[in-house]
Amino acid sequence: MKEIRVALAGPPNVGKSTLFNMLVGANRFVGNWPGKTVDKYEGFFEHMEYSIRVVDLPGTYSLNAQTEEEAIARDYIITEKPDVVVVLVDAVSLETTLYLAVQVLELYDRVVIAVNKIDAALKRGIHISTEKLSRKLGVPVVGISALRREGLHDLVDTIIRVAEGLETVRRLKLDYKGLDYYAREIEHAIKGCPKISEYPLEWSSMRLLEGDAELERTLQHYCADALGLVEATRRRVEEGLGSPPSLLAASVRYSFIDGVVAESVTTTGVVKREVTERLDKILLHPVAGPLTNLGIILSVLIVTLTVNTGFPIKQLLELTGNSELAQVFEKYTISGLFSSLFDSLSNVLAEYLSGIRLPAFLVSLIVDGVIGGVGAVLTFLPLVFIVSAAFGFLEDTGVMARIATANHSIMRRVGLSGKSLMPLLLGFGCNVPAIMGTKILETDREKLIASLIAPLIPCQARLVVLLILISALPATPMAKVVALVSTYAYSLLLVAVVARVASTFLSHGEKPELVLELPPYHRPSLRVIWWFAWDSTLHFLKKAGGIILGLSVVVWLLLHLGPDGFTEDISSSIAKAIGEALTPLTAVMGIPHWQVALALLTGFVAKETVASTLTVITGTVDPVEAVQKLALTPAQIASLIIFITLYTPCLATVATFHTQFRRYKLTILLIAYEFAIATVSAVIVYQALNLMGF
């Protein structure tokens, strides 16, 4: 078992001792720091495959080494070089507790910032964007409530990622303006001085300029000549800049903190108690509560999907005989507008590239492979953004917590707490944040169960593919709506069954309890909702954008390269050979088509590429027309719908799951059980419909 050494730093009264005790429990021991009278607290705990040893540094407001506690904390970081330093700050008093964090960040790079009392801040209408804090400070930032054990799982995972070098961290470098000039003079003088060189050179030169007594004593002992230059330089600063260097440096740090807080924190109004009580009578009512919450969730999903893809308004218009109006409506949805934009862009670019006599294969690669891939990524951005904004609204207003409370009794029947409903609902938008959201759950077992079933929830990417396949069905609009609703119902039934089975084996049937303190209702803040939406969209771009774009180019190469090099004839391409090799697998489901086999293979990487693969293979722009060109029977299309809905959603989801639990056996289990369920379900659907003559 690998050991990770963690130093826990923070100002007094920030909750550091509480976090220490929550992490190590009874596995702790007390001693003394060598040669000091200050108590030294150490402890350890195990997580996954790691033994994590925690050293609770003395509470200090800075690292100036003016007190015994400050000297101990600073010396430990420098001499022991822990794998990770966790610095606690107070969410309610962020501005006053960030000073120590800034000093640690200037001294050390492997740092994690834990924003404690995040629940207390929310009660006061204080919202903190940990993503923005992280970008400004250059290290991971995790929101926690040490007292309520919230966010501790995420904190420990982040500690491991930093220790293993899986997180990008950097040492903070502030712009000290005029002071930098004088600090560089000192830097040149102390370079190579014994003991001093143990510290970062820029850091120690600035600290000497500020008058760090501990460093001056060291300098006096090893490099006395340099000390004279330091003192002379300090006097020049006072004469030239009009203030002591220590005051100027502290001013720069506080100015930096002010900027960070201004960008990362916003405060919203809390509604009156009477309003909270009236709303809770509805949202927390045993009968009206779940129904009202369901209505809220469905309303959000319907509005979101209507704006983006036209569903279900388009289907309702077709059902009532208004097909032309349905087409117009679909054309002006966000997805329709993006498709039209990229079609026009592709045509203009193809004409231009052909005009400058670029080789045909390069024109095709740029227009169909690269531009097509970019279009596939950007088309989904508005959907991800709006879904995230909607969930951000529910979270910010306090409604999401009520949804969890009101539905606890229902979720408990399948072995989960009502709190698990929140991350699982995210699965309708994207399975990646759904799995990431399970970190809020209380126990590792519940996190695992929720993460295992989350990929069975049809995400928006799969919804788009389902709509394409259902649109290609030779059936009435009503039959198509029934097909879609039945697919969703079957998926959710499987979610409940798998959760129940997993709960029986992993929790031995023990029912989880919901420990959730309801926050007051807040007036929604556009800034907070924007944080939710933008961070999720950025996450999607980072996780899936590159994969989708890269895969589009790979698919193009497979379709246009053959034994004799570039080819426009798909029947002589590498893609066809791969598809034919996989056809026996799809034949089990009644679909012996190499085109389908290849599309399912690319769909393992990202579901959106199923449609783009089929359009490229069949040489058509319209994905519905692409499916129709394959001349599949209704039974074959239904089989394909079920399989696509249930097998692994995407590579990003698998990667997120593996990152969460770091156990290959669990990751393989996730892929295997979903593939098995998808295959068996598809075979049953195909055989049943085939026998019925479809």
Side-chain angles (χ1 to χ4, degrees):
M1 186 172 285
K2 187 172 181 179
E3 182 176 286
I4 294 176
R5 293 177 302 115
V6 177
L8 201 56
N13 304 317
V14 77
K16 189 163 60 65
S17 298
T18 305
L19 176 61
F20 175 78
N21 290 324
M22 287 294 181
L23 288 175
V24 304
N27 301 319
R28 58 177 179 161
F29 38 92
V30 184
N32 286 94
W33 294 95
K36 309 287 184 183
T37 57
V38 179
D39 289 339
K40 180 183 182 183
Y41 294 90
E42 281 190 81
F44 68 91
F45 64 97
E46 294 179 359
H47 182 78
M48 301 296 181
E49 300 168 351
Y50 297 90
S51 172
I52 300 177
R53 180 169 292 275
V54 185
V55 175
D56 187 11
L57 299 179
T60 63
Y61 292 100
S62 73
L63 291 181
N64 292 340
Q66 292 179 345
T67 64
E68 191 175 41
E69 287 80 4
E70 290 176 356
I72 289 172
R74 192 171 86 181
D75 288 347
Y76 183 84
I77 294 173
I78 289 300
T79 57
E80 298 298 326
K81 295 185 172 26
D83 297 308
V84 180
V85 177
V86 174
V87 186
L88 253 74
V89 296
D90 190 331
V92 180
S93 308
L94 192 61
E95 197 164 353
T96 55
T97 53
L98 263 177
Y99 192 84
L100 172 66
V102 168
Q103 283 200 315
V104 173
L105 288 167
E106 287 186 289
L107 178 65
Y108 210 61
D109 53 358
R110 294 195 300 274
V111 176
V112 175
I113 304 295
V115 184
N116 194 23
K117 304 179 186 177
I118 201 80
D119 54 337
L122 194 60
K123 285 181 184 176
R124 303 181 188 192
I126 301 172
H127 301 265
I128 299 172
S129 171
T130 53
E131 292 286 341
K132 276 188 175 292
L133 266 179
S134 176
R135 284 196 287 273
K136 297 293 290 184
L137 300 178
V139 296
V141 178
V142 183
I144 67 167
S145 170
L147 189 62
R148 303 182 63 79
R149 302 185 64 86
E150 291 179 4
L152 300 195
H153 190 279
D154 192 19
L155 175 63
V156 175
D157 278 351
T158 306
I159 289 171
I160 293 172
R161 287 200 300 275
V162 171
E164 294 286 11
L166 301 176
E167 285 274 355
T168 303
V169 292
R170 57 177 163 80
R171 185 174 295 146
L172 183 64
K173 291 186 178 180
L174 297 182
D175 180 7
Y176 285 98
K177 301 181 174 62
L179 284 181
D180 281 328
Y181 170 79
Y182 297 98
R184 278 194 292 272
E185 288 185 3
I186 296 176
E187 189 177 319
H188 181 73
I190 64 174
K191 191 174 183 181
C193 185
K195 292 294 180 183
I196 293 290
S197 59
E198 292 179 359
Y199 297 85
L201 199 56
E202 292 179 5
W203 181 88
S204 51
S205 60
M206 183 58 68
R207 286 297 308 148
L208 281 167
L209 190 60
E210 292 180 71
D212 189 296
E214 183 80 12
L215 288 180
E216 283 188 349
R217 281 193 289 273
T218 306
L219 206 59
Q220 175 70 45
H221 185 75
Y222 292 99
C223 307
D225 293 344
L227 181 58
L229 183 142
V230 169
E231 292 169 343
T233 306
R234 195 179 303 142
R235 287 194 294 271
R236 286 169 53 210
V237 171
E238 290 196 45
E239 293 169 2
L241 302 181
S243 295
S246 57
L247 190 60
L248 294 172
S251 175
V252 169
R253 294 187 190 110
Y254 278 118
S255 176
F256 171 75
I257 291 170
D258 287 343
V260 169
V261 172
E263 288 191 27
S264 310
V265 179
T266 192
T267 304
T268 58
V270 179
V271 302
K272 294 180 180 177
R273 187 172 179 176
E274 299 77 28
V275 178
T276 294
E277 290 175 352
R278 282 201 293 270
L279 286 174
D280 279 350
K281 282 183 180 177
I282 301 172
L283 294 178
L284 299 180
H285 190 275
V287 178
L291 292 175
T292 306
N293 293 325
L294 182 62
I296 292 172
I297 295 168
L298 288 178
S299 300
V300 168
L301 290 176
I302 288 173
V303 170
T304 302
L305 294 174
T306 299
V307 171
N308 280 278
T309 65
F311 176 84
I313 302 299
K314 173 179 173 286
Q315 282 68 24
L316 288 174
L317 289 172
E318 289 178 341
L319 192 66
T320 54
N322 297 294
S323 298
E324 290 186 7
L325 185 58
Q327 295 302 320
V328 173
F329 183 77
E330 185 184 29
K331 182 179 177 181
Y332 290 101
T333 59
I334 293 177
S335 178
L337 291 172
F338 263 80
S339 295
S340 300
L341 175 66
F342 274 91
D343 284 345
S344 302
L345 180 63
S346 297
N347 291 335
V348 171
L349 189 61
E351 189 176 341
Y352 170 75
L353 295 175
S354 300
I356 61 174
R357 298 183 178 180
L358 213 62
F361 77 94
L362 276 180
V363 175
S364 178
L365 173 61
I366 294 170
V367 173
D368 300 327
V370 178
I371 300 298
V374 172
V377 174
L378 295 183
T379 298
F380 286 100
L381 284 188
L383 188 54
V384 174
F385 184 87
I386 294 176
V387 167
S388 304
F391 280 105
F393 173 82
L394 295 177
E395 182 78 39
D396 181 41
T397 54
V399 173
M400 189 71 91
R402 270 74 183 178
I403 291 175
T405 304
N407 291 281
H408 178 62
S409 60
I410 298 173
M411 296 301 293
R412 205 163 177 262
R413 295 178 182 176
V414 296
L416 296 170
S417 70
K419 205 171 182 181
S420 66
L421 189 62
M422 289 189 283
L424 291 177
L425 285 174
L426 290 173
F428 285 104
C430 180
N431 293 150
V432 171
I435 292 177
M436 292 173 65
T438 60
K439 294 174 182 175
I440 66 171
L441 303 180
E442 300 298 330
T443 66
D444 286 342
R445 285 178 180 172
E446 191 178 6
K447 290 183 182 83
L448 176 59
I449 295 170
S451 297
L452 282 171
I453 63 173
L456 284 175
I457 298 173
C459 62
Q460 57 191 3
R462 278 179 283 185
L463 173 62
V464 174
V465 180
L466 294 186
L467 291 177
I468 292 169
L469 292 172
I470 288 173
S471 298
L473 273 172
T476 64
M478 176 58 81
K480 292 179 182 180
V481 172
V482 171
L484 182 63
V485 173
S486 302
T487 303
Y488 266 70
Y490 182 64
S491 297
L492 296 181
L493 176 64
L494 285 176
V495 167
V497 171
V498 174
R500 183 70 180 173
V501 172
S503 172
T504 302
F505 282 99
L506 296 175
S507 302
H508 307 293
E510 185 180 340
K511 302 289 186 183
E513 298 297 334
L514 178 66
V515 183
L516 179 67
E517 188 172 351
L518 292 176
Y521 289 101
H522 296 156
R523 295 183 185 89
S525 163
L526 288 178
R527 192 182 186 200
V528 176
I529 294 171
W530 166 261
W531 287 346
F532 273 102
W534 177 245
D535 290 340
S536 298
T537 307
L538 207 59
H539 182 81
F540 172 81
L541 265 179
K542 288 179 180 176
K543 290 285 182 182
I547 294 173
I548 296 171
L549 176 60
L551 193 63
S552 294
V553 175
V554 170
V555 169
W556 184 93
L557 291 172
L558 292 175
L559 290 167
H560 293 83
L561 290 178
D564 301 321
F566 177 70
T567 177
E568 293 183 345
D569 182 8
I570 294 177
S571 62
S572 60
S573 66
I574 298 172
K576 186 184 179 185
I578 296 175
E580 286 178 338
L582 295 174
T583 300
L585 295 175
T586 58
V588 175
M589 301 182 292
I591 317 171
H593 294 66
W594 68 268
Q595 299 93 331
V596 173
L598 180 60
L600 293 178
L601 181 65
T602 60
F604 176 80
V605 180
K607 275 296 167 292
E608 299 88 336
T609 57
V610 170
S612 60
T613 302
L614 289 176
T615 55
V616 174
I617 290 174
T618 56
T620 179
V621 175
D622 186 353
V624 177
E625 189 180 337
V627 177
Q628 290 170 337
K629 273 193 169 185
L630 297 175
L632 300 174
T633 66
Q636 289 174 319
I637 294 178
S639 172
L640 189 56
I641 287 171
I642 290 296
F643 188 81
I644 285 177
T645 305
L646 299 178
Y647 87 112
T648 313
C650 64
L651 196 58
T653 299
V654 175
T656 304
F657 181 89
H658 184 71
T659 304
Q660 189 102 318
F661 297 98
R662 298 180 181 279
R663 293 169 66 181
Y664 286 103
K665 288 182 180 177
L666 289 178
T667 306
I668 293 171
L669 172 67
L670 174 72
I671 298 172
Y673 103 80
E674 282 197 296
F675 183 80
I677 286 179
T679 304
V680 170
S681 300
V683 169
I684 293 173
V685 167
Y686 172 74
Q687 294 297 341
L689 291 177
N690 198 38
L691 287 174
M692 295 167 65
F694 290 99

